[in-house]
Amino acid sequence: MSIIYKPFYPDPIEGQAVLNNFTRTLRYHGQDALAEDLKRGIPLYETRTLENVGHPAAKDPDLLLRGTCLSACAYLQEQGRKVDLVYIDPPFASGADYAKQIYLRRNPKTAKEIASHEQSIPHDKDATYALEEKMYGDIWDKEKYLNWMYENLVAIRSVMSDTASIYVQLDWHIGHYVKVLMDEIFGEENFINEISWKRSTSGSAKARAKRFGADHDTIYFYRKGSDYTFNKQYMKYPEEEIKKRFKNKDSHGYYKDAELGSYSEKV
């Protein structure tokens, strides 16, 4: 049961009403229904500790929160904690339910009873049974999905530090709409990259029968403010590539002959 509501906009722009911090540019049916939720705030629920790891007197211990995005953001607000990096992989509004296969080993005590009803089928008392359990549904009305995403993104922004950045992974179903929402919430000027995440396959042959294969997801990368933390990533060169580019080798490794004043190459 919720005990308090935290504001979606903890630092409203001076001289503006709380809900006028952002100008809605994406217009769609049903978006006005979101206004009441934004006025109400983020629901903060009672929390309980399930496990402590590490030294209990640590100055700034890490947190693993179990709950919805909104409840986690409300808790972080209540604790006065800020987040420097956000990555979310929300539902893609794909129009499908997702299930997982669960395998259960048959109880030997009931094997005889089960076998009596399966006399015509070869029977192994140690065989496993497979069943499907629905993990989550991804069937949405587009308008309800966009309202849900807007509410969560605004809540996330409220707990991001001034130098924080956010990555949101989606696919072709709804990503282009969410990109516009993120322009509204974080500002077009704070859009950094659209990253294509290449899949190993492009779907089933049936899905590709009358269209090109959908072979990538998209990650939208935004900063919260003009200054943000970005750490360059480096990959180690494969050994065969090093041998191809650098013909000489000594105790320090591979190298190539070159005149410093007239030739240079990025490695």
Side-chain angles (χ1 to χ4, degrees):
M1 182 175 181
S2 60
I3 55 175
I4 193 172
Y5 286 94
K6 307 296 293 184
F8 277 95
Y9 308 116
D11 301 309
I13 299 172
E14 187 175 354
Q16 290 191 0
V18 168
L19 292 181
N20 290 334
N21 277 5
F22 304 101
T23 301
R24 301 304 308 272
T25 56
L26 180 63
R27 303 295 300 174
Y28 54 88
H29 177 72
Q31 76 172 30
D32 294 335
L34 183 61
E36 289 304 313
D37 289 341
L38 296 177
K39 286 179 183 177
R40 180 200 64 193
I42 315 172
L44 173 64
Y45 296 92
E46 294 181 31
T47 59
R48 60 192 178 95
T49 301
L50 296 181
E51 183 182 11
N52 279 317
V53 178
H55 197 284
K59 183 178 179 182
D60 191 21
D62 292 332
L63 286 174
L64 177 62
L65 300 176
R66 180 178 179 181
T68 65
C69 175
L70 291 182
S71 63
C73 289
Y75 180 81
L76 291 171
Q77 271 203 40
E78 180 72 4
Q79 298 296 312
R81 300 188 64 159
K82 292 289 186 179
V83 176
D84 293 321
L85 178 65
V86 179
Y87 167 80
I88 60 172
D89 183 9
F92 287 6
S94 63
D97 285 329
Y98 293 90
K100 62 180 177 181
Q101 288 282 109
I102 298 177
Y103 296 92
L104 300 176
R105 184 171 293 280
R106 177 177 293 155
N107 186 340
K109 292 183 179 179
T110 60
K112 290 183 180 179
E113 181 182 344
I114 296 173
S116 66
H117 298 288
E118 301 174 349
Q119 293 178 3
S120 61
I121 303 174
H123 183 72
D124 177 3
K125 70 177 182 180
D126 292 326
T128 58
Y129 279 101
L131 57 93
E132 278 193 345
E133 178 182 343
K134 180 177 173 180
M135 293 188 292
Y136 68 92
D138 197 12
I139 301 174
W140 302 74
D141 292 333
K142 181 171 67 178
E143 293 79 9
K144 290 181 179 178
Y145 178 89
L146 292 174
N147 281 350
W148 176 80
M149 278 296 296
Y150 192 94
E151 190 174 6
N152 280 273
L153 287 169
V154 173
I156 289 171
R157 187 185 185 280
S158 73
V159 296
M160 289 171 63
S161 69
D162 292 338
T163 57
S165 54
I166 179 171
Y167 296 77
V168 178
Q169 181 170 344
L170 294 162
D171 72 359
W172 59 272
H173 290 93
I174 204 77
H176 45 295
Y177 290 102
V178 175
K179 166 69 169 65
V180 179
L181 293 187
M182 296 187 74
D183 283 345
E184 295 177 4
I185 296 166
F186 295 96
E188 291 182 57
E189 70 280 5
N190 291 320
F191 171 60
I192 305 299
N193 281 120
E194 178 180 301
I195 304 163
S196 294
W197 182 274
K198 183 75 167 62
R199 298 177 186 169
S200 57
T201 63
S202 55
S204 65
K206 182 179 179 181
R208 301 193 309 270
K210 292 189 176 182
R211 65 174 175 87
F212 297 107
D215 64 352
H216 76 281
D217 291 347
T218 300
I219 303 174
Y220 298 106
F221 170 29
Y222 281 75
R223 65 191 181 191
K224 184 179 179 182
S226 58
D227 185 25
Y228 65 103
T229 301
F230 182 77
N231 297 315
K232 269 190 174 181
Q233 303 298 306
Y234 296 92
M235 292 180 64
K236 187 176 181 180
Y237 266 109
E239 186 73 17
E240 58 272 18
E241 180 69 16
I242 294 175
K243 291 179 179 179
K244 185 190 301 184
R245 297 184 63 181
F246 305 98
K247 304 301 183 182
N248 305 317
K249 185 180 180 182
D250 61 17
S251 59
H252 298 288
Y254 290 93
Y255 67 95
K256 71 191 315 179
D257 295 319
E259 294 182 16
L260 294 178
S262 61
Y263 178 84
S264 65
E265 180 181 11
K266 278 190 175 180
V267 177

